[in-house]
Amino acid sequence: MKNVLIIGSTGQIGSELTMKLRGMFPDGQIVAGYIPGAEPKGILLESGPSAQADVCDGNQLLDVIRKYDVDTVFNLAALLSAVAEKKPQLAWKIQIDGLMNILEIARDRHLSVFTPSSIGSFGPETPRLETPQDTIQRPKSMYGVTKVTTELLSDYYFLKYGVDTRSVRFPGLISHVTLPGGGTTDYAVEIFYAAVKGEEFVCPIAAGTYMDMMYMPDALQGAVDLMLADPSRLKHRNAFNIASMSFDPERIAAKIRARIPSFRMRYEVDPVRQAIADSWPDRLDDTCAREEWGWKPRFGLDEMVDDMIAELRKRFGTA
Ligand code: AKB
């Protein structure tokens, strides 16, 4: 990994992954790919090259990949679960037609490709607790349908053409840098913003709904470690279960209240997000990731809550 294209570089994962890779590979070209309306700004723009790279435009992708002699693509373009439910055709176009564009270029130019899957690739028939790596995947959301297809297509290109595809199933990602947009797990980020600003939080997910979550530094490290892993150790490729914490709204609210006693929360459940959340597992088993490439998260629930509150307090100047 030296010259890397990050498609979706201004999104929740991309904005931090681009900066991390620029720090790790100062001699490489870490290209921040974007679409019009989501251009990189500030340090993301100033610290390295950027290029328009619409996943739906194969010719444009090829031009950028040729120009920067790209060897690795992080394909982070996606409509998250709640938005994909409202725009299923667009979700398919971005997540699957877009992926095909990348895989075809990768096949020709011997690129490595990371396209995240998600806990959303599972469905209600999947075992909810300690969800195995290899298990039933019958998702009921459009997002989930595209994620299972992503896993299958990525494996197909590896098996058929030897394309170096690798991926993880991300849980809800919690970060203080860039907000997520349109996911089922977004509440787990938004709750911190409300708490630190001293606002009441209106929770769209019902009490008792457990989902896997992860702090962004672990998610980024996992993606990079997997792409750097010795391929001979990988029995799986697309996509590895990874996990670090699982909570419901009551548990995370209690953790925040232990640090900000005035924090208030009430529920206004969003039926679309709740139906999706109800169809997802509570907690994944990540043994294969640990054994095959050394996955080991650093942040547990308490460490994540401490860090989120400290970082957002710095940002908003609240004591
Ligand atoms: C979503 O909620 O849609 C995403 C995910 C878990 O993949 N954060």
Side-chain angles (χ1 to χ4, degrees):
M1 185 170 7
K2 181 164 181 269
N3 297 336
V4 181
L5 171 62
I6 294 108
I7 298 175
S9 69
T10 58
Q12 192 203 14
I13 305 173
S15 56
E16 291 188 62
L17 181 64
T18 306
M19 296 308 296
K20 182 179 176 77
L21 292 174
R22 284 179 180 164
M24 286 179 74
F25 302 104
D27 300 330
Q29 304 263 31
I30 311 297
V31 186
Y34 64 89
I35 52 168
E39 290 84 358
K41 296 188 182 72
I43 186 80
L44 195 57
L45 177 67
E46 287 147 21
S47 58
S50 51
Q52 203 169 308
D54 183 345
V55 77
C56 297
D57 184 342
N59 291 330
Q60 189 179 72
L61 292 180
L62 183 56
D63 285 348
V64 177
I65 287 167
R66 275 204 190 114
K67 178 172 174 191
Y68 292 99
D69 196 17
V70 165
D71 54 62
T72 304
V73 175
F74 284 86
N75 169 25
L76 305 178
L79 294 192
L80 293 185
S81 51
V83 178
E85 240 11 51
K86 297 200 175 95
K87 300 178 182 174
Q89 292 87 357
L90 184 60
W92 184 269
K93 189 170 168 223
I94 294 171
Q95 266 113 275
I96 304 306
D97 296 343
L99 173 63
M100 279 297 261
N101 287 336
I102 297 166
L103 290 174
E104 275 300 300
I105 299 172
R107 173 183 162 188
D108 198 41
R109 295 183 65 87
H110 309 290
L111 309 181
S112 298
V113 181
F114 177 91
T115 309
S117 186
S118 160
I119 54 172
S121 68
F122 296 115
E125 295 93 350
T126 304
R128 290 192 87 85
L129 292 175
E130 301 309 325
T131 304
Q133 172 68 38
D134 300 308
T135 186
I136 186 163
Q137 289 179 279
R138 303 290 290 178
K140 303 295 180 253
S141 70
M142 187 60 189
Y143 181 69
V145 169
T146 66
K147 288 300 170 190
V148 175
T149 311
T150 295
E151 295 187 9
L152 293 173
L153 258 182
S154 300
D155 270 345
Y156 180 82
Y157 268 71
F158 170 67
L159 292 169
K160 181 100 181 174
Y161 305 117
V163 177
D164 182 17
T165 54
R166 309 181 190 192
S167 176
V168 297
R169 294 177 181 135
F170 277 137
L173 298 181
I174 299 171
S175 133
H176 56 84
V177 177
T178 307
L179 281 166
T184 301
T185 56
D186 292 10
Y187 91 88
V189 179
E190 291 158 359
I191 193 170
F192 284 99
Y193 280 70
V196 167
K197 289 178 177 171
E199 295 165 1
E200 181 185 50
F201 181 61
V202 182
C203 187
I205 298 293
T209 311
Y210 279 79
M211 287 183 274
D212 268 302
M213 302 281 178
M214 185 175 293
Y215 203 31
M216 187 61 87
D218 281 331
L220 301 179
Q221 196 59 50
V224 173
D225 285 349
L226 174 59
M227 293 314 280
L228 294 175
D230 173 357
S232 69
R233 287 184 63 200
L234 302 180
K235 294 193 199 84
H236 297 85
R237 277 181 170 264
N238 302 281
F240 282 92
N241 284 1
I242 55 172
S244 60
M245 63 186 85
S246 170
F247 54 77
D248 82 320
E250 287 296 305
R251 185 153 161 72
I252 187 71
K255 290 287 179 188
I256 292 174
R257 211 169 283 120
R259 290 145 174 99
I260 306 177
S262 58
F263 174 61
R264 287 165 300 124
M265 178 170 88
R266 70 182 165 84
Y267 290 95
E268 236 173 65
V269 172
D270 168 5
V272 174
R273 284 184 164 85
Q274 188 61 42
I276 296 172
D278 285 341
S279 74
W280 289 356
D282 293 0
R283 199 175 64 230
L284 305 192
D285 173 7
D286 59 6
T287 308
C288 291
R290 289 176 187 265
E291 288 178 357
E292 292 176 38
W293 51 276
W295 160 248
K296 195 168 186 291
R298 282 192 306 128
F299 287 86
L301 179 55
D302 281 302
E303 293 84 10
M304 179 276 285
V305 172
D306 283 339
D307 205 57
M308 275 297 282
I309 291 176
E311 290 295 334
L312 289 177
R313 277 182 167 155
K314 268 191 248 164
R315 162 111 66 99
F316 295 115
T318 47

